[in-house]
Amino acid sequence: MAENKEKTTIVLFSGELDKAIAAFIIANGAAAYDHEVTIFFTFWGLNALRKDDQVFVKKGFLEKMFAKMMPRGANKLGLSKMNFGGIGPQMIKHVMKKHNALSLPQLIELAQEQGVKLVACTMTMDLLGLQKEELLDGIEYAGVAAYLGDATDAKVNLFI
Amino acid sequence: MAENKEKTTIVLFSGELDKAIAAFIIANGAAAYDHEVTIFFTFWGLNALRKDDQVFVKKGFLEKMFAKMMPRGANKLGLSKMNFGGIGPQMIKHVMKKHNALSLPQLIELAQEQGVKLVACTMTMDLLGLQKEELLDGIEYAGVAAYLGDATDAKVNLFI
Amino acid sequence: MAENKEKTTIVLFSGELDKAIAAFIIANGAAAYDHEVTIFFTFWGLNALRKDDQVFVKKGFLEKMFAKMMPRGANKLGLSKMNFGGIGPQMIKHVMKKHNALSLPQLIELAQEQGVKLVACTMTMDLLGLQKEELLDGIEYAGVAAYLGDATDAKVNLFI
């Protein structure tokens, strides 16, 4: 990778559909403008990376509880506003389809195709009991040091 | 505009009074220090730009529902914390008045006077069914590409 | 302080345990990499700086109500997700202990030891009726101008 590429980093901390969509629209936009883009998924943001299907891995009691209570994958996230027990996300998905906007799973796929680096924060994976087998293929694993290395070189750094 | 001005961009994604106040205080501060400042309003942040009065425009069913459920303008936003069904915002407005702090509508006016560029995200306007007639006068309309163009040149980029 | 140190600033607006932990992990990481780091505490973020014990200071009625309703100190913050009336924070604290992760009060102490500048926003202190006696020792007090001064020189600027 050339040294003179613009860099963009996003920390996706939030586990909500609307915020994840915003993060991926900015990331895909930046990648289309030839930025080197990294999204760091931490805390609830990790839920956007979970596979749709349940993956059977050994877990302790609290880890099982977290796994159960947290949404499994991009299709199951709620909204930060007007969630209304899941009706809000359906409304948003409906209007997005109507306007031919990409869905969150499609945005994630496009990001991977465009070479956006998706990095899961290993420290919060440990805390929430999430294991690599449960997350999407083709992502990377790192901690805060790697994030800071990328962010220090980047022009645009966002925390979402 | 001179090329050597510092630039600041803020994405206002959140539709809450407290976050909008924080965004405008930073934006007005940066403008006072002669930064070139842009606020991009996307998703729920667009509600801060809605006119107080209802504007009659043709809308589909879901767009009507969104329009009804979302707060109409800077005066009607709730708080991200301690909203208490609208009592929290009244308390905040009361203490702001008591301390002679500018209200959100006044902060928006000041921003426009200082030349802060207020940009509504056209993609999320489409999704939420908001039309130009419903938003404040004197604002601009653009997409993620324009945002990235500004952010890449800016020193301070925040997502609120 | 040398002029050529990298700089990092974080605005901590949110008053939630998980977001405060994320802010301090990034801040401590950046300080470990020899960045000059500043965290600006504004609005609900100020609650992370409150002393555990009640401090008796003269307050008006609304200020007393704010003081009562807001969490007093780093140990009493809730979660942005899955708070479940306080069970969520206990779960997170439990798994953090189990994984030998530093608690929020320990992260704050480490930040102060590493020379991270903790700055309370005086304008929002006024609004929420918080007084210096109620906040941790060794912190600084400033407004948006000081924040912008630091942020303009920094490579990494986050709003949390």
Side-chain angles (χ1 to χ4, degrees):
Chain A
M1 248 169 303
E3 271 306 298
N4 50 4
K5 267 196 178 188
E6 299 284 6
K7 283 176 190 169
T8 292
T9 77
I10 294 171
V11 176
L12 185 57
F13 171 97
S14 304
E16 284 118 358
L17 179 64
D18 42 353
K19 293 203 170 172
I21 289 172
F24 274 95
I25 287 176
I26 295 172
N28 281 323
Y33 284 93
D34 211 31
H35 289 209
E36 222 179 291
V37 186
T38 310
I39 310 180
F40 287 87
F41 297 81
T42 186
F43 280 89
W44 322 110
L46 287 167
N47 290 318
L49 293 181
R50 289 175 80 186
K51 287 177 185 154
D52 277 340
D53 300 314
Q54 197 170 352
V55 179
F56 292 94
V57 285
K58 238 178 131 179
K59 296 202 182 199
F61 176 72
L62 271 176
E63 285 80 4
K64 263 186 210 155
M65 278 192 66
F66 273 123
K68 228 176 198 160
M69 294 184 307
M70 297 188 307
R72 200 163 64 228
N75 268 318
K76 305 219 184 63
L77 305 180
L79 286 182
S80 68
K81 279 275 176 198
M82 310 204 305
N83 193 53
F84 300 128
I87 299 175
Q90 294 312 318
M91 282 176 64
I92 285 284
K93 285 175 193 173
H94 187 89
V95 292
M96 286 178 73
K97 211 169 183 178
K98 193 178 132 189
H99 286 92
N100 295 314
L102 296 182
S103 68
L104 181 55
Q106 290 172 322
L107 286 168
I108 295 175
E109 219 184 296
L110 176 61
Q112 291 194 298
E113 280 171 20
Q114 289 200 101
V116 172
K117 215 165 63 175
L118 308 182
V119 183
C121 168
T122 46
M123 195 207 87
T124 44
M125 282 177 66
D126 277 355
L127 291 186
L128 300 176
L130 290 171
Q131 298 176 29
K132 290 186 183 182
E133 292 84 349
E134 300 175 83
L135 302 187
L136 296 182
D137 298 325
I139 65 174
E140 300 181 26
Y141 298 89
V144 69
Y147 164 66
L148 285 164
D150 282 352
T152 306
D153 287 343
K155 286 267 188 67
V156 184
N157 295 306
L158 304 173
F159 185 100
I160 298 185
Chain B
M1 254 168 301
E3 270 308 296
N4 50 5
K5 268 196 178 188
E6 299 283 8
K7 282 175 189 170
T8 293
T9 77
I10 295 171
V11 177
L12 184 58
F13 170 97
S14 304
E16 284 119 359
L17 179 64
D18 42 353
K19 293 203 170 173
I21 289 171
F24 274 94
I25 287 175
I26 295 172
N28 280 322
Y33 284 94
D34 211 31
H35 288 210
E36 221 178 291
V37 186
T38 309
I39 311 181
F40 287 85
F41 297 81
T42 186
F43 280 89
W44 321 110
L46 286 167
N47 290 318
L49 294 181
R50 289 174 80 186
K51 288 178 186 154
D52 277 341
D53 299 313
Q54 198 170 349
V55 179
F56 292 93
V57 286
K58 237 179 132 179
K59 296 200 181 200
F61 176 71
L62 272 177
E63 285 79 6
K64 264 187 209 155
M65 278 191 67
F66 273 123
K68 228 176 198 161
M69 293 183 309
M70 299 189 305
R72 201 165 62 228
N75 267 318
K76 305 219 183 64
L77 305 180
L79 286 182
S80 69
K81 279 276 178 198
M82 310 204 305
N83 194 52
F84 300 128
I87 300 174
Q90 294 312 319
M91 282 176 65
I92 285 285
K93 285 175 193 172
H94 187 89
V95 292
M96 286 179 72
K97 212 167 181 176
K98 194 178 132 189
H99 287 92
N100 294 314
L102 296 182
S103 68
L104 180 55
Q106 291 172 322
L107 286 167
I108 296 175
E109 217 184 299
L110 176 61
Q112 290 194 297
E113 279 172 21
Q114 289 200 103
V116 172
K117 215 166 61 177
L118 307 182
V119 183
C121 168
T122 47
M123 195 208 87
T124 44
M125 281 177 66
D126 277 355
L127 291 185
L128 301 176
L130 290 172
Q131 298 176 28
K132 291 187 185 182
E133 291 84 350
E134 299 175 83
L135 303 187
L136 296 182
D137 298 324
I139 65 173
E140 301 181 23
Y141 298 88
V144 69
Y147 164 66
L148 285 164
D150 281 352
T152 306
D153 287 343
K155 286 267 185 67
V156 184
N157 295 307
L158 303 173
F159 185 101
I160 298 185
Chain C
M1 252 168 302
E3 271 306 296
N4 50 4
K5 269 196 177 186
E6 299 284 6
K7 284 176 187 167
T8 292
T9 76
I10 295 172
V11 176
L12 184 58
F13 170 97
S14 304
E16 284 119 0
L17 179 65
D18 42 352
K19 294 203 168 171
I21 288 172
F24 274 94
I25 287 175
I26 295 172
N28 280 322
Y33 284 94
D34 211 32
H35 288 209
E36 221 179 289
V37 186
T38 309
I39 311 181
F40 287 85
F41 298 80
T42 186
F43 280 89
W44 323 109
L46 286 167
N47 290 317
L49 294 181
R50 289 175 80 185
K51 288 178 184 152
D52 277 341
D53 299 314
Q54 198 170 350
V55 178
F56 292 94
V57 284
K58 237 179 129 180
K59 295 200 182 200
F61 176 73
L62 273 176
E63 285 78 6
K64 264 186 208 157
M65 278 192 68
F66 273 123
K68 226 174 199 163
M69 294 183 308
M70 299 190 303
R72 200 165 63 228
N75 268 318
K76 305 216 185 66
L77 305 181
L79 286 181
S80 69
K81 278 276 178 199
M82 309 206 305
N83 193 53
F84 300 129
I87 299 173
Q90 295 311 320
M91 283 177 65
I92 285 284
K93 285 175 193 172
H94 187 89
V95 292
M96 286 179 73
K97 212 169 182 175
K98 193 178 132 188
H99 286 93
N100 295 314
L102 296 182
S103 68
L104 180 55
Q106 290 172 322
L107 286 167
I108 295 175
E109 216 185 299
L110 176 62
Q112 290 194 298
E113 280 171 22
Q114 289 200 101
V116 172
K117 214 164 63 175
L118 307 182
V119 183
C121 168
T122 46
M123 194 207 88
T124 44
M125 282 177 65
D126 277 356
L127 291 185
L128 301 175
L130 290 171
Q131 298 176 28
K132 291 186 182 182
E133 292 84 350
E134 299 176 83
L135 302 187
L136 297 181
D137 298 325
I139 66 173
E140 301 181 24
Y141 298 88
V144 68
Y147 163 67
L148 285 164
D150 282 352
T152 305
D153 286 344
K155 286 269 187 65
V156 184
N157 295 307
L158 304 173
F159 186 100
I160 298 184

